[in-house]
């Protein structure tokens, strides 16, 4: 039984996390659990990473989250058909009863993240419960919405964060007690991260988590487009319905701090030398004959003093910093807080993309957003474009702006580690 939309749930305010019957791979029907997982759809470097994942196992989750066909409608129909086939063949099976899930990730460098996966009541920004911090691209929301409509499923969880108390919260206590028992699954993916999943079914534990979370406010760390998709689909379906809720992972960053990384830009059709020539007199430009790691260190040093970027694609790195104050005064909107106006992403989008290079930020034919630093450089060199490498924003800046209701330019941050796609799915008809 799907309890999302139950009258007692909608009567409460705050974060409302509902148990659900998760869909999970049957380990006996696939090569390995690691081989069927994927990074979130927008992190997969295409086409290379997509082909690699498709070849890893015929049941890899990318065949659902990134179906390949000639037209969008055909892609979505293909994903829906694939999902139905995997269910009928028993490749994916539903857990016997609704539950919340404890999810753990850890790596060899000491990073440990634990959180709880459930179906969260979808809310509007005006309610102040789930705070976005980035703008979204309408065509991506439309694409995700069409896929979710076709499959009638939440195929991968969003990553949301909240700040617990200084002492152990009820949710943390339940999570850590649950993690002492045997997991439902355990696997290690090729990026070196180990993943474990447990179910929470005890009514007392479920009540403790749900009550604790009604006092919390969440920040969208990863999944702005999917959250906007949840909101769109909820508006399309009369309430109560399963579309009132969406699949999320909630992590208490007071207990388990996340890493914040940058998302880089790949500018198609703009050779590096043309990009640099347009900056003459508007930014300081220095050529760096350094390996990538050292060039990123130079970027970090420059970013402490102001806006800074690394341009690449011609076999070298070019450190771009010290923008002309007059340029910023005439291109960066003045009706936002200082912390927003001075963001690297703000200056990049307002001054560089819009004013100097004349590149629309939401045109996928002109600009791609890539999480992997080395892949961005490689693709720029291969395609004759320009890679713009960014320095990450601090989490406290992100959260403070979100609490003010101020959204950052799209793809400003990359919080991680991100939940692996393919470990648990949510079908809306269960």
């Amino acid at each position: 039984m799907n309890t999302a939309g139950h009258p007692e749930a909608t009567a409460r305010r705050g974060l409302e996390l509902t148990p659900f019957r998760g869909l999970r791979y049957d380990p006996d029907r696939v090569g390995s659990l690691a081989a069927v997982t994927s990074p979130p759809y927008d992190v997969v470097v295409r086409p290379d990473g997509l082909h690699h994942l498709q070849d890893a196992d015929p049941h890899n989750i990318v065949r659902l989250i990134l179906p390949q066909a000639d037209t969008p409608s055909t892609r979505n129909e293909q994903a829906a058909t694939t999902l139905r086939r995997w269910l009928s063949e028993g490749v994916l099976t539903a857990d016997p009863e609704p539950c919340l899930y404890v999810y753990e990730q850890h790596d060899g460098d000491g990073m440990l993240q634990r959180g709880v996966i459930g179906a969260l009541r979808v809310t509007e920004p005006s309610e102040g419960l789930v705070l976005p911090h980035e703008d979204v691209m309408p065509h991506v929301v439309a694409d995700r919405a069409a896929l979710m409509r076709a499959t009638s499923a939440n195929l991968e969880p969003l990553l949301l964060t909240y700040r617990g108390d200084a002492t152990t919260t009820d949710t943390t206590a339940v999570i850590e007690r649950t993690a002492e028992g045997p997991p439902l699954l355990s696997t290690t993916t090729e990026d070196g991260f180990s993943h474990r999943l447990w179910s929470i079914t005890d009514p007392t534990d479920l009540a403790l988590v749900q009550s604790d979370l009604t006092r919390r406010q969440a920040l969208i760390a990863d999944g702005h487009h999917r959250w906007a998709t949840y909101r769109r689909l909820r508006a399309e379906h009369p309430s109560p319905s399963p579309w009132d809720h969406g699949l999320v992972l909630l992590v208490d960053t007071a207990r388990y701090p996340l890493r914040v990384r940058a998302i880089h830009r790949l500018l198609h059709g703009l050779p590096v030398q043309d990009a640099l020539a347009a900056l003459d007199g508007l930014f300081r430009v220095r050529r760096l004959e350094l390996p990538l790691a050292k060039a990123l260190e130079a970027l970090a040093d420059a970013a402490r003093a102001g806006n800074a970027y690394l341009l690449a694609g011609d076999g070298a790195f070019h450190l771009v910093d010290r923008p002309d104050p007059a340029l910023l005064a005439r291109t960066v909107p003045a009706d936002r807080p200082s912390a927003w106006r001075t963001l690297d992403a703000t200056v990049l989008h307002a001054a560089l993309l819009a004013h100097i290079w004349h590149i629309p930020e939401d045109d996928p034919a002109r600009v791609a957003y890539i999480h992997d630093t080395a892949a961005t450089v490689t693709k720029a060199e291969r395609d004759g474009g320009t890679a713009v490498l960014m320095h990450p924003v601090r989490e406290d800046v992100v959260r403070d702006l979100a609490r003010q209701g101020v959204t950052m330019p799209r793809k400003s941050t990359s919080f991680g580690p991100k939940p692996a796609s393919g470990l648990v799915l949510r079908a809306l008809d269960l």
Side-chain angles (χ1 to χ4, degrees):
M1 173 181 157
N2 190 323
T3 57
H6 190 281
E8 292 179 2
T10 55
R12 297 194 310 269
R13 296 295 90 182
L15 297 178
E16 298 173 15
L17 197 66
T18 303
F20 69 103
R21 292 179 62 198
L23 294 181
R24 296 189 294 111
Y25 282 100
D26 182 342
D28 295 330
R29 302 298 302 272
V30 298
S32 71
L33 289 175
V36 295
T37 63
S38 163
Y41 79 98
D42 59 338
V43 181
V44 176
V45 178
R46 287 164 267 187
D48 302 355
L50 179 64
H51 293 156
H52 172 73
L53 291 164
Q54 286 179 331
D55 294 342
D57 190 284
H59 300 109
N60 190 283
I61 192 68
V62 293
R63 298 180 185 275
L64 300 183
I65 63 175
L66 289 172
Q68 298 300 293
D70 292 336
T71 66
S73 61
T74 305
R75 288 197 297 269
N76 296 330
E77 290 168 7
Q78 178 178 294
T81 299
T82 300
L83 177 58
R84 287 193 297 268
R85 184 175 72 252
W86 289 357
L87 288 168
S88 66
E89 294 174 350
V91 174
L92 287 170
T93 60
D95 283 328
E97 60 182 314
C99 58
L100 299 176
Y101 296 87
V102 170
Y103 177 48
E104 175 191 275
Q105 294 166 277
H106 68 88
D107 66 7
D109 296 327
M111 161 63 77
L112 174 66
Q113 176 176 290
R114 286 176 179 159
V116 59
I117 294 175
L120 186 70
R121 181 176 71 89
V122 178
T123 59
E124 294 299 314
S126 59
E127 296 181 59
L129 296 174
V130 177
L131 304 177
H133 70 266
E134 289 182 356
D135 295 331
V136 298
M137 292 175 272
H139 74 275
V140 177
V141 176
D143 174 75
R144 291 295 101 184
L147 178 62
M148 286 190 205
R149 286 191 204 97
T151 58
S152 191
N154 300 151
L155 300 172
E156 46 185 347
L158 285 64
L159 174 59
L160 306 185
T161 71
Y162 66 98
R163 299 289 291 180
D165 305 325
T167 57
T168 300
T169 65
D170 285 342
T171 300
T172 298
V174 171
I175 287 173
E176 296 186 355
R177 184 167 63 250
T178 303
E180 293 175 356
L184 296 172
L185 64 85
S186 178
T187 190
T188 300
T189 46
E190 62 179 19
D191 59 4
F193 270 92
S194 296
H195 308 260
R196 294 197 294 173
L197 193 76
W198 297 261
S199 62
I200 305 173
T201 57
D202 179 79
T204 300
D205 285 344
L206 290 172
L208 284 170
V209 171
Q210 290 176 300
S211 175
D212 180 30
L213 292 176
T214 60
R215 301 191 296 272
R216 309 298 173 192
Q217 178 189 60
L219 174 74
I220 302 175
D222 185 68
H224 282 81
H225 289 90
R226 283 167 286 165
W227 184 256
T229 300
Y230 289 170
R231 289 171 49 213
R232 174 180 291 192
L233 294 173
R234 185 197 62 170
E236 294 175 1
H237 296 82
S239 185
S241 85
W243 298 96
D244 291 342
H245 292 67
L247 185 63
V248 306
L249 165 65
L250 278 163
V251 174
D252 178 1
T253 54
R255 185 75 171 182
Y256 299 106
L258 272 66
R259 294 169 175 159
V260 187
R261 292 191 169 97
I263 302 176
H264 310 295
R265 277 66 170 160
L266 174 61
L267 309 182
H268 301 296
L270 179 66
V272 174
Q273 292 308 313
D274 292 350
L276 293 172
L279 302 181
D280 187 35
L282 299 175
F283 283 80
R284 182 175 69 168
V285 179
R286 289 174 286 166
R287 182 182 177 94
L288 306 179
E289 297 290 350
L290 297 171
L292 176 58
K294 292 295 185 181
L296 290 173
E297 290 178 8
L299 173 62
D301 289 341
R304 294 189 184 97
N307 301 118
Y309 314 90
L310 271 182
L311 271 56
D314 62 349
F317 295 101
H318 307 270
L319 183 59
V320 174
D321 64 355
R322 297 188 183 179
D324 176 20
L327 169 70
L328 302 184
R330 67 176 181 268
T331 59
V332 176
D335 60 347
R336 304 287 182 89
S338 174
W340 181 90
R341 297 196 307 272
T342 56
L343 288 169
D344 288 337
T346 297
V347 173
L348 171 65
H349 285 239
L352 287 163
L353 291 182
H355 183 78
I356 296 175
W357 292 327
H358 306 291
I359 295 177
E361 63 183 16
D362 56 356
D363 182 355
R366 301 292 307 280
V367 57
Y369 297 85
I370 303 177
H371 295 70
D372 186 275
T373 308
T376 310
V377 175
T378 299
K379 290 175 72 66
E381 292 178 344
R382 185 178 64 194
D383 302 341
T386 294
V388 182
L389 306 184
M390 310 281 287
H391 186 68
V393 184
R394 298 194 319 273
E395 181 184 358
D396 61 313
V397 173
V398 175
R399 193 175 295 275
D400 287 347
L401 286 171
R403 284 174 173 160
Q404 296 176 59
V406 177
T407 54
M408 300 164 64
R410 60 202 58 175
K411 301 295 183 181
S412 292
T413 61
S414 176
F415 284 85
K418 304 178 190 305
S421 298
L423 296 181
V424 61
L425 293 66
R426 174 178 176 249
L428 276 74
D429 54 1
L430 289 179

